[in-house]
Each structure stands twice: as C-alpha cells, then as structure tokens.
Amino acid sequence: MNSSLRVSFVGAGNVAGHMAMAMLRKGLTISNIISLKRQNSVHLADMVGAHSIDHLDDITKNTDIIIVAVKDDSIADIAAKLKTELIVAHTSGTVELPILNSVGKNTGVFYPLQTFSGDTPISFREVPILIEGSNTQTTDILTELAEMISDKVLLHSSEERKRIHLSAVFACNFTNHLLAIAQDLLTCNECSFDLLHPLIKETMRKALAENPHDSQTGPARRGDTDVIDNHRFMLNRHPMYLEIYNLITQSIQETKYDG
Amino acid sequence: MNSSLRVSFVGAGNVAGHMAMAMLRKGLTISNIISLKRQNSVHLADMVGAHSIDHLDDITKNTDIIIVAVKDDSIADIAAKLKTELIVAHTSGTVELPILNSVGKNTGVFYPLQTFSGDTPISFREVPILIEGSNTQTTDILTELAEMISDKVLLHSSEERKRIHLSAVFACNFTNHLLAIAQDLLTCNECSFDLLHPLIKETMRKALAENPHDSQTGPARRGDTDVIDNHRFMLNRHPMYLEIYNLITQSIQETKYDG
C-alpha cells in the first residue's frame, strides 16, 4: 500500500467529504479541493488540511490523482475544462468512462456504492468501490487507492456499473419511497411512523440474513384475496398508491416461489 | 401486573411460539396448546411446559385467556367450534373482532405488529401489540397481558388496525419484493446481492433515523431524465420490472418535497 499518494477533489459535497475523510484517516495527503460553492471547499479543505483553490487549473498542483465528485450532469463540464496526464476519475454510478476522454490518457471511475448524508459517519471499509480505468496502470493505482479505504473493491465496466446502479435504485430509492407511502398512510390515520420501526428492522434483517426472494410474506404471497380486496377498498382515496399496490401485488403473485 | 394469568393457545406456529416463549419468560403459565399439526403443538407444549391437547373443548381447562394464533382464514372455523365465557382473542391484523361474536361475551384482538421467523429470537419488548376488546374488562385484561411482554401496547379499533396493517404491507412485504427484484437484476449480471447490503442498511438507517419522506434520493427525485431513460432501456427484457420502475418513478416525481 502506497500512502504517499496525493489526492485532490473537484467537488466538496457529501461524496467528496466522506471519501476525503476516509483517505485522510489512512495517512493519504489531500492536496487541493475546488467547488462551485466556495464555502464548501474552504470548509472541507480546513477539515482535511488541503488547499481550497479557486481556479480549476490549480487542481493538478502537487497531486497524483484527481477525483471528480460532482453531480452526474456536471461531469461533462469539468471534463471540457480539465486537461492533464494525471489520473482523473469520476465517482458516478451511471456516467460512462469515455465522458473523460478529452481530459487525457489516464482516466477512470471510482464509484462508491453507498448513499451519503451530511453528518452521519460512514464506515468506508464496508462500502463497495467499483473501479474502472482507461489503461492497466490507471486501473491498478485506482484499485490500490480504493483498497486503502474499503475491503470490497471490484472492477466493473461502465455497462456493468450502470446495471448495478439500476438494481440499487430498486433496493434503495424505491424501497425508501414505499416507506414514505407507509408513513403517509399512517399519518392519515393519526398514527406515528415509529409504530412500524420494529417491523421494518426485522424485514430488512431477514432479507439480508436469508435472501429477499425466499423471505417474502404477506397477503399477495399467500393469495389472500379477501385481505387484498379490503386493502384496495381502503386505498380508494389514494389513486397512485392503489396503482402501486395493484402492480406490486401482481408482481409478487407472478413470482415463482419454491415450496 | 398479574403474573398469575394462565394463557392457552390455539395454533402452534411462529406467532404462538414466539408469544408463548415471551410470556413464559415473564412467569406466566402456559396451560394448553392445540394445533392442526399435532407434532407442532407437542413440540411447543414441551418447550413451555403446557399440555398438548387433541380436542378443542379441552382448551378451556385451567386457563384464563385463550389466544387464537392461526391463519386469518381459519379463525372463523375455530370461532364456530368454540363456546366459552373465558377471554378469547385472535392475533390477526386484518380480521375484525365480530368474527368471534359466536364464541361468547369476552372476545378481543391481540395483534403483534411484527413478522416472525421460525428460529430467530425476537425482542418482544419492542414489538407493538394492538389491543381491542368486546368490553372494558376484556380490554383491560388483554392490555395487562400485553404490557407484560411489550413496551408498546396500543388500543385500536378493527378499522384502524386494518389501516395500520395496510401501511405495514407497503413498508415490509412490498419493500421486500423490491429487494428481491434488485437481487434478481444483480444475479442476471452475475453479481452477488451482498454488494447492496451496505447501501440497503444505510438507506433503512436513514429512513428510520430521519424520516423516509425527507430522505428520498435518486434519479426520480432529482429529475435526472438521462439516467431514467437509460434505466428504462436496460429493463427492456423485464416488462414487469419496467412497469414497476415507471410507476414508482412517476409517484416519486409527483410527490411534493420541501426545498
């Protein structure tokens, strides 16, 4: 492991912040940080002992790797303005590697498969990092860097990464939306969402300990038509929730379960 | 608290088993157990020091409360065969109290809002128990019994209980199905579901610590049409998953978020 690697960040949001902190804890040098929101880059630079810079040209000074941790639709803008033979990697799950082609020969992807909140510390060792590089040396160095902060580093093409990201949308963004619907239905009935916490925790524990396909329960799995009809009746004032109810019920019923 | 209460169970499945064990730990006497599957009632009776009985008439011997912990569509059968002035309560989230009218005057509901697996121990103290009784005395005694094993005992009418159960279906059965879809999509790409574990854990942690409405992220929330179009393209071989993708994406987009 090469803790002499120096890393700079374009972007100072949640991804850059959590990643820079994890690298700092491993003894890496964080060189430069730039952000459209200057106060964000000043704040993060203060925390990790880096320079907060104002001009993108300065990002290449005294550094080995530049990580572009900005919103997906801002990566092309950065790529158009940056020209360097240093390694430049973006952190997106959905943007293809060639978006960085104009930057130089040594480009890559450094995608952490996790959702990051501002203040909540993340154990980065458990976060999978998906790596892609434009050449072997770049891939090797990005892998080495990733392995310093994570126990789960994997090589995947842009196409594979996009498919993994799609599954993550189902598992996380969509499950969260269903929890929000449950919260809304409870609130309509003047109940607190807390009431479901133990059930949600146990459902997730079971899905992770066994596997979600095998641990499916509920009226749709059992084919309990009386209960399903009554649920539909109760949802008559929530047409969108009723549509979701009908579609997921149908999908569960069309799933083949053993036994 | 009255630990001299004696409880008997019709049914010896996961709900009866976990409940009887929790009551036993609090010093209650478990008197009789009967199940359609005789070996289940013998096994559970052995574990909790109860009598395994073969005739439903014997369930009323040396007991104060009878808990009918059977599948929803079997409750009516039991009710038709049982006639007693003892307290008889069922454990269903969806079945209305009057289903027990033919049994006697003292009937109720004792519904644990949790999913129970065979071997996994549950901390019953955290499990909400929803109580309903046909008269004040029955309600009071069922509440007293519930408070011995749980810190979260609530009175709810049959109508309220059914609405809470509906929200639980969204939060648990449906979220689990989305996790199964994510698992399926990953397997199609020769990836392990383990890859998503840290992301799922963090999504759930965030939804429970903050609230799921406020913690929504993802392409649909951001209105990222390029990513959404690409996801749709990748789902062309999974028509049902595509329908679910489109509907939940639409639902997220129609949700009003602050800020």
Side-chain angles (χ1 to χ4, degrees):
Chain A
M1 293 210 289
N2 182 356
S3 68
S4 69
L5 279 174
R6 298 165 301 173
V7 185
S8 294
F9 286 87
V10 180
N14 286 329
V15 174
H18 285 281
M19 215 176 253
M21 291 299 293
M23 290 174 179
L24 186 73
R25 286 196 294 269
K26 288 295 162 179
L28 290 159
T29 299
I30 312 298
S31 305
N32 312 307
I33 294 172
I34 187 169
S35 167
L36 283 178
K37 295 180 183 159
R38 190 165 194 283
Q39 74 187 58
N40 287 6
S41 66
V42 169
H43 177 69
L44 181 56
D46 269 356
M47 286 178 67
V48 298
H51 297 281
S52 166
I53 58 170
D54 294 321
H55 300 287
L56 192 61
D57 295 340
D58 295 335
I59 197 87
T60 57
K61 288 183 182 165
N62 303 313
T63 197
D64 302 296
I65 296 174
I66 296 162
I67 295 185
V68 179
V70 298
K71 292 206 170 90
D72 287 6
D73 53 10
S74 303
I75 298 175
D77 290 346
I78 305 295
K81 293 175 192 159
L82 194 59
K83 184 103 193 133
T84 176
E85 294 302 300
L86 294 176
I87 291 176
V88 177
H90 74 64
T91 58
S92 165
T94 60
V95 175
E96 297 182 16
L97 176 53
I99 202 171
L100 298 176
N101 277 355
S102 64
V103 173
K105 290 198 308 286
N106 304 311
T107 59
V109 178
F110 195 90
Y111 169 52
L113 184 53
Q114 184 54 284
T115 174
F116 299 95
S117 308
D119 297 331
T120 312
I122 289 276
S123 166
F124 232 101
R125 294 234 69 82
E126 295 168 16
V127 177
I129 300 181
L130 277 51
I131 297 292
E132 185 179 7
S134 60
N135 55 56
T136 310
Q137 198 194 356
T138 300
T139 305
D140 288 350
I141 293 175
L142 288 175
T143 301
E144 183 184 6
L145 178 64
E147 284 175 346
M148 290 188 71
I149 57 173
S150 166
D151 291 329
K152 188 121 191 165
V153 178
L154 300 154
L155 298 186
H156 280 290
S157 68
S158 289
E159 195 52 41
E160 290 163 344
R161 183 164 31 83
K162 282 197 289 186
R163 291 181 178 279
I164 291 167
H165 178 264
L166 171 61
S167 70
V169 165
F170 275 91
C172 300
N173 299 153
F174 286 2
T175 55
N176 184 77
H177 184 60
L178 293 185
L179 295 180
I181 292 174
Q183 178 188 18
D184 192 25
L185 290 173
L186 280 175
T187 310
C188 288
N189 291 290
E190 294 174 10
C191 289
S192 160
F193 183 59
D194 293 2
L195 195 59
L196 290 182
H197 280 199
L199 180 56
I200 293 168
K201 284 184 201 163
E202 178 60 12
T203 303
M204 294 304 140
R205 188 205 61 73
K206 215 193 286 188
L208 299 181
E210 304 166 22
N211 79 62
H213 183 274
D214 293 345
S215 58
Q216 187 67 52
T217 61
R221 168 78 198 267
R222 289 192 301 272
D224 194 336
T225 49
D226 286 353
V227 172
I228 292 170
D229 287 345
N230 194 262
H231 283 165
R232 286 176 172 146
F233 175 76
M234 286 190 280
L235 286 170
N236 63 6
R237 270 185 286 176
H238 302 276
M240 176 56 93
Y241 298 170
L242 178 59
E243 267 196 80
I244 293 174
Y245 184 92
N246 285 335
L247 189 58
I248 298 186
T249 293
Q250 185 189 347
S251 183
I252 293 172
Q253 288 177 331
E254 288 177 5
T255 302
K256 288 188 183 67
Y257 299 99
D258 299 332
Chain B
M1 292 207 291
N2 183 355
S3 68
S4 69
L5 280 173
R6 298 164 302 172
V7 185
S8 293
F9 285 88
V10 181
N14 285 329
V15 174
H18 285 281
M19 215 177 253
M21 290 299 293
M23 289 173 181
L24 186 72
R25 286 195 295 270
K26 289 294 161 182
L28 290 159
T29 299
I30 312 298
S31 304
N32 312 307
I33 294 172
I34 187 168
S35 166
L36 283 178
K37 296 179 183 160
R38 188 165 195 282
Q39 74 187 61
N40 286 7
S41 67
V42 170
H43 178 71
L44 181 56
D46 269 357
M47 285 178 66
V48 297
H51 297 280
S52 167
I53 58 170
D54 295 321
H55 300 287
L56 193 61
D57 296 340
D58 295 336
I59 197 85
T60 57
K61 287 185 183 164
N62 304 312
T63 197
D64 303 295
I65 297 174
I66 297 164
I67 295 185
V68 180
V70 299
K71 292 204 171 90
D72 287 5
D73 52 9
S74 303
I75 297 174
D77 290 347
I78 304 296
K81 293 175 191 159
L82 195 59
K83 184 102 193 136
T84 176
E85 295 301 302
L86 294 176
I87 292 175
V88 177
H90 74 66
T91 57
S92 165
T94 60
V95 175
E96 296 182 17
L97 176 54
I99 202 170
L100 297 176
N101 277 355
S102 64
V103 173
K105 290 197 309 284
N106 304 312
T107 58
V109 179
F110 196 92
Y111 169 53
L113 183 53
Q114 184 53 286
T115 175
F116 298 95
S117 308
D119 296 332
T120 311
I122 290 275
S123 166
F124 231 101
R125 292 233 70 81
E126 295 167 15
V127 176
I129 299 181
L130 276 51
I131 297 292
E132 185 179 5
S134 60
N135 55 56
T136 310
Q137 199 194 358
T138 300
T139 305
D140 288 349
I141 293 175
L142 288 175
T143 301
E144 183 185 7
L145 178 64
E147 284 175 346
M148 290 188 71
I149 58 173
S150 165
D151 291 329
K152 188 122 191 165
V153 179
L154 301 154
L155 298 186
H156 280 290
S157 68
S158 288
E159 195 53 41
E160 291 163 344
R161 182 164 30 84
K162 284 198 287 186
R163 291 183 177 275
I164 292 167
H165 178 264
L166 171 60
S167 71
V169 165
F170 274 91
C172 299
N173 299 153
F174 287 2
T175 56
N176 185 76
H177 184 60
L178 294 185
L179 296 180
I181 291 175
Q183 178 187 19
D184 192 24
L185 289 173
L186 280 175
T187 310
C188 290
N189 291 291
E190 295 174 7
C191 289
S192 161
F193 183 59
D194 293 1
L195 195 59
L196 290 183
H197 280 199
L199 180 56
I200 293 168
K201 284 183 204 166
E202 177 61 12
T203 303
M204 294 305 141
R205 186 204 62 73
K206 215 193 287 187
L208 299 181
E210 304 166 21
N211 81 61
H213 183 274
D214 293 343
S215 59
Q216 187 67 51
T217 61
R221 168 79 198 265
R222 288 192 301 272
D224 193 338
T225 50
D226 286 353
V227 172
I228 292 169
D229 287 346
N230 194 263
H231 283 164
R232 287 177 172 146
F233 175 77
M234 287 191 280
L235 286 169
N236 62 6
R237 272 185 286 176
H238 301 277
M240 177 56 95
Y241 298 170
L242 178 60
E243 266 195 81
I244 293 173
Y245 184 92
N246 285 336
L247 189 59
I248 298 186
T249 293
Q250 184 190 347
S251 182
I252 294 173
Q253 288 178 330
E254 288 177 5
T255 301
K256 289 187 185 67
Y257 299 99
D258 299 329

